[in-house]
């Protein structure tokens, strides 16, 4: 269609405008060039057509009635195609938010410890609706939306990805392929008037297209409160239109069990009540309890260990002390603490130390092809070398062990990011909602 229109425009330009008459003999060659150069770039074609149409405007006064009518028609078509091009561009942007399988495969059960009830509720909300849609053909409906709320770093995003991975694996035998869209407010933001509303519509349109291709879709919207904040009298017309579009599009999936919308927030008390009514399933993700923290710390200290096993180099009292000292830490805080402790151990190991050659490599070291290894020298080793000597001779350093003292020292720097006031406000909202049910 675009190339046909360009042909009409070029004919009209040649007939009415002197600067284009030199192309009359090369008309076909010009069209072939445009076709070769622009066939795979719809946006460039539309930009070129708009420029050609502007050239036509300059000669409008010298054109006859038939040519003016043709010009008006082509301008209208160009504007319509411009809207179509923008819509497709937004849809392509939304498709890029689909997480590839590689981003889901690596998520393990150990990454989300201590929230078994939340996992079960999430599976009910996603798997039942998507895998067994016939169970909702008798007048019953699945959850319209799911809201994950809790303090920052409690694992809301990781939970959604993990459950999506489970459901995706379970659906393989049915021929369906689950699509997980990870959306943030920044993905919808636009500096143009009406741009955010168009992006919201494109997000839900992509989900509809996926369903038609037998691809059930989970839309995970992080920080949903930033788009659907509680209404105020000072709210602008633009903000109201964005919220209206969001709610309208969400309502469009009321009878479609193959699309599940999940919102996540750290401040549920700030969310607009109209959205809360649509997020019928609300799941609280709390800070990890003591048993969960113990398990997280053990997994960080020693790979492939169960929560009940003993950690090499630590006493039970030391582990219990770490669990007690991390009482207000979120799951993300504990991960940051243990990562920082390991980096501190590396720094201590590489800080002007002496080393000795290790005669026997571990299984892990052999698996990555490291055979010449040095470790920190102690008073029991006579043949020690400096760091420079070890590097010049091609040795690798053995990964250091994180001990109790290093973790305690790191705690002085890595503090919990959730304060008691933040947690109290979330719990107050939670209790108020439960009392009103």
């Amino acid at each position: 269609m675009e190339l046909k229109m360009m042909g009409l425009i070029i004919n009209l330009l040649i007939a009415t405008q002197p600067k284009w008459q030199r192309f009359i003999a090369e008309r076909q060659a010009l069209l072939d060039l445009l076709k070769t150069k622009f066939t795979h770039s719809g946006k460039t074609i539309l930009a070129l057509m708009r420029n050609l149409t502007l050239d036509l405007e300059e000669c409008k006064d010298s054109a006859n009635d038939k040519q003016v009518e043709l010009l008006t028609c082509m301008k209208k078509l160009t504007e319509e195609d411009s809207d179509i091009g923008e819509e497709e561009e937004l849809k392509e942007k939304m498709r890029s938010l689909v997480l590839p399988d590689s981003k889901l495969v690596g998520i393990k059960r150990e990454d989300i410890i201590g929230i078994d009830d939340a996992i079960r509720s999430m599976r009910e909300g996603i798997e039942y609706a998507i895998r067994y849609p016939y169970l909702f053909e008798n007048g019953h409906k699945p959850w319209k939306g799911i809201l994950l709320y809790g303090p920052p770093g409690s694992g809301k995003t990781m939970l959604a990805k993990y459950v999506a991975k489970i459901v995706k694996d379970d659906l393989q035998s049915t021929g369906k392929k689950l699509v997980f869209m990870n959306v943030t407010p920044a993905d919808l933001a636009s500096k143009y008037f009406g741009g955010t509303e168009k992006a919201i519509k494109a997000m839900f349109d992509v989900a509809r297209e996926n369903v038609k291709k037998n691809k059930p879709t989970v839309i995970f919207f992080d920080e949903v409160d930033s788009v659907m904040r509680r209404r105020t009298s000072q709210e602008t017309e633009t903000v109201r239109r964005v919220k209206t579009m969001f709610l309208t599009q969400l309502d469009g999936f009321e009878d479609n069990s193959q699309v599940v919308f999940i919102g996540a927030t750290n401040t549920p008390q700030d969310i607009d009540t109209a959205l809360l009514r649509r997020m019928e399933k609300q799941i609280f993700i709390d800070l990890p309890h003591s048993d969960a923290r113990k398990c997280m710390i053990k997994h960080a200290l020693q790979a492939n260990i169960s929560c009940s096993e003993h950690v090499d180099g630590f006493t039970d009292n030391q582990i219990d002390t770490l669990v007690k000292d991390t009482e207000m830490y979120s799951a993300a805080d504990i991960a940051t603490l243990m990562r920082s402790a390991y980096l501190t151990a590396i720094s201590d190991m590489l800080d002007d130390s002496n080393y000795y050659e290790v005669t026997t490599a571990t299984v892990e070291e052999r698996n990555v092809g490291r055979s010449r290894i040095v470790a920190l020298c102690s008073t029991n080793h006579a043949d020690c070398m400096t760091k420079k000597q070890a590097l010049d001779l091609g040795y690798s350093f053995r990964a250091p062990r994180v001990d109790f003292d290093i973790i305690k020292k790191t705690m002085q720097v890595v503090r919990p990011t959730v304060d008691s006031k933040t947690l109290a406000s979330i719990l107050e909202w939670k209790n108020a909602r439960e009392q009103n049910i």
Side-chain angles (χ1 to χ4, degrees):
M1 179 179 178
E2 290 88 351
L3 288 173
K4 182 179 180 180
M5 287 174 59
M6 279 196 292
L8 293 172
I9 292 175
I10 290 171
N11 282 340
L12 187 53
L13 286 169
I14 290 173
T16 59
Q17 197 168 17
K19 71 175 184 178
W20 277 85
Q21 288 177 3
R22 66 182 185 275
F23 292 120
I24 189 167
E26 293 85 12
R27 176 187 176 281
Q28 188 58 46
L30 181 60
L31 279 175
D32 290 342
L33 174 64
L34 291 173
K35 183 176 181 181
T36 302
K37 188 173 182 181
F38 299 116
T39 295
H40 301 294
S41 179
K43 187 176 181 180
T44 309
I45 290 175
L46 292 171
L48 176 67
M49 289 172 60
R50 282 193 289 272
N51 291 334
L52 293 177
T53 305
L54 289 175
D55 273 347
L56 280 172
E57 285 285 0
E58 296 178 4
C59 63
K60 187 173 179 179
D61 292 337
S62 61
N64 58 41
D65 293 342
K66 184 175 181 181
Q67 291 168 339
V68 170
E69 182 181 353
L70 180 60
L71 169 62
T72 303
C73 177
M74 285 190 295
K75 283 181 64 178
K76 181 178 179 182
L77 289 173
T78 302
E79 292 169 358
E80 290 176 353
D81 271 19
S82 177
D83 291 338
I84 294 172
E86 181 183 7
E87 180 181 336
E88 285 303 317
E89 187 176 346
L90 284 172
K91 285 184 180 180
E92 191 59 37
K93 179 182 178 181
M94 295 301 114
R95 294 185 189 103
S96 70
L97 302 179
V98 174
L99 282 189
D101 292 348
S102 58
K103 295 291 186 180
L104 296 176
V105 170
I107 301 175
K108 304 181 294 294
R109 180 65 180 84
E110 295 77 21
D111 296 327
I112 46 170
I113 299 169
I115 50 176
D116 295 344
D117 290 342
I119 294 174
R120 183 168 54 254
S121 296
M122 282 283 289
R123 291 195 66 173
E124 291 174 358
I126 298 177
E127 186 172 14
Y128 293 178
I130 290 177
R131 182 160 188 177
Y132 311 109
Y134 55 85
L135 295 178
F136 299 96
E137 295 174 352
N138 54 0
H140 296 286
K141 297 180 180 179
W143 300 122
K144 184 183 295 186
I146 301 173
L147 178 68
L148 302 179
Y149 69 97
S154 53
K156 297 179 286 293
T157 302
M158 191 68 71
L159 168 64
K161 291 179 180 179
Y162 174 72
V163 174
K165 172 196 170 186
I166 295 176
V167 176
K168 189 182 186 76
D169 293 342
D170 290 345
L171 286 176
Q172 287 183 349
S173 61
T174 68
K176 295 181 178 180
K177 183 178 180 181
L178 183 71
V179 172
F180 186 92
M181 295 177 63
N182 193 5
V183 186
T184 66
D187 298 319
L188 304 180
S190 174
K191 62 181 179 180
Y192 298 109
F193 182 81
T196 301
E197 297 97 294
K198 292 178 180 179
I200 291 171
K201 183 177 183 299
M203 175 180 68
F204 286 100
D205 282 346
V206 168
R208 292 185 183 92
E209 293 174 1
N210 289 339
V211 172
K212 292 179 180 178
K213 299 174 183 177
N214 204 27
K215 295 181 179 180
T217 300
V218 172
I219 301 176
F220 177 75
F221 199 108
D222 203 4
E223 298 180 7
V224 68
D225 53 283
S226 62
V227 175
M228 293 300 300
R229 192 166 291 274
R230 186 183 296 274
R231 298 169 193 260
T232 65
S233 58
Q234 291 80 29
E235 194 172 77
T236 64
E237 180 62 29
T238 299
V239 173
R240 281 195 289 271
R241 283 201 314 273
V242 169
K243 292 179 180 178
T244 300
M245 173 60 77
F246 200 99
L247 297 173
T248 301
Q249 292 296 321
L250 190 57
D251 286 341
F253 289 104
E254 185 172 356
D255 297 322
N256 194 332
S257 65
Q258 299 301 287
V259 177
V260 179
F261 182 85
I262 304 173
T265 179
N266 303 326
T267 56
Q269 63 273 19
D270 293 336
I271 293 182
D272 186 75
T273 54
L275 179 64
L276 286 175
R277 287 197 299 271
R278 290 161 173 82
M279 310 298 278
E280 297 168 322
K281 185 64 175 178
Q282 298 169 7
I283 303 174
F284 176 55
I285 312 297
D286 200 355
L287 294 176
H289 50 72
S290 59
D291 288 342
R293 296 198 303 276
K294 178 182 288 189
C295 204
M296 292 174 186
I297 292 171
K298 285 186 174 183
H299 283 158
L301 290 171
Q302 190 169 329
N304 303 319
I305 188 175
S306 69
C307 297
S308 59
E309 289 183 272
H310 178 76
V311 179
D312 295 339
F314 284 79
T315 66
D316 291 340
N317 286 337
Q318 287 177 328
I319 295 294
D320 291 339
T321 298
L322 294 178
V323 171
K324 182 180 178 181
D325 291 345
T326 54
E327 183 174 357
M328 283 295 292
Y329 282 67
S330 67
D333 291 337
I334 293 175
T336 301
L337 170 67
M338 303 307 293
R339 189 181 302 117
S340 299
Y342 180 67
L343 292 174
T344 300
I346 293 178
S347 178
D348 291 346
M349 179 192 70
L350 297 177
D351 187 18
D352 296 329
S353 300
N354 291 323
Y355 310 88
Y356 74 97
E357 183 178 10
V358 176
T359 56
T360 305
T362 65
V363 175
E364 292 80 7
E365 290 166 341
R366 289 196 300 270
N367 287 340
V368 295
R370 287 191 284 126
S371 57
R372 304 189 69 204
I373 301 167
V374 292
L376 274 177
C377 221
S378 67
T379 56
N380 299 327
H381 295 92
D383 298 328
C384 294
M385 66 187 82
T386 65
K387 180 169 69 173
K388 185 178 185 307
Q389 289 172 329
L391 292 173
D392 290 343
L393 293 171
Y395 284 99
S396 299
F397 295 102
R398 170 161 287 176
R401 291 189 63 86
V402 178
D403 60 31
F404 177 77
D405 292 335
I406 288 178
I407 299 176
K408 289 292 289 182
K409 183 173 69 173
T410 308
M411 278 186 182
Q412 299 174 12
V413 180
V414 180
R415 304 301 302 159
T417 56
V418 181
D419 55 57
S420 55
K421 184 178 179 180
T422 299
L423 183 59
S425 62
I426 297 174
L427 291 174
E428 181 181 357
W429 181 87
K430 174 180 179 290
N431 294 332
R433 293 285 296 179
E434 290 174 349
Q435 290 174 6
N436 291 332
I437 295 177

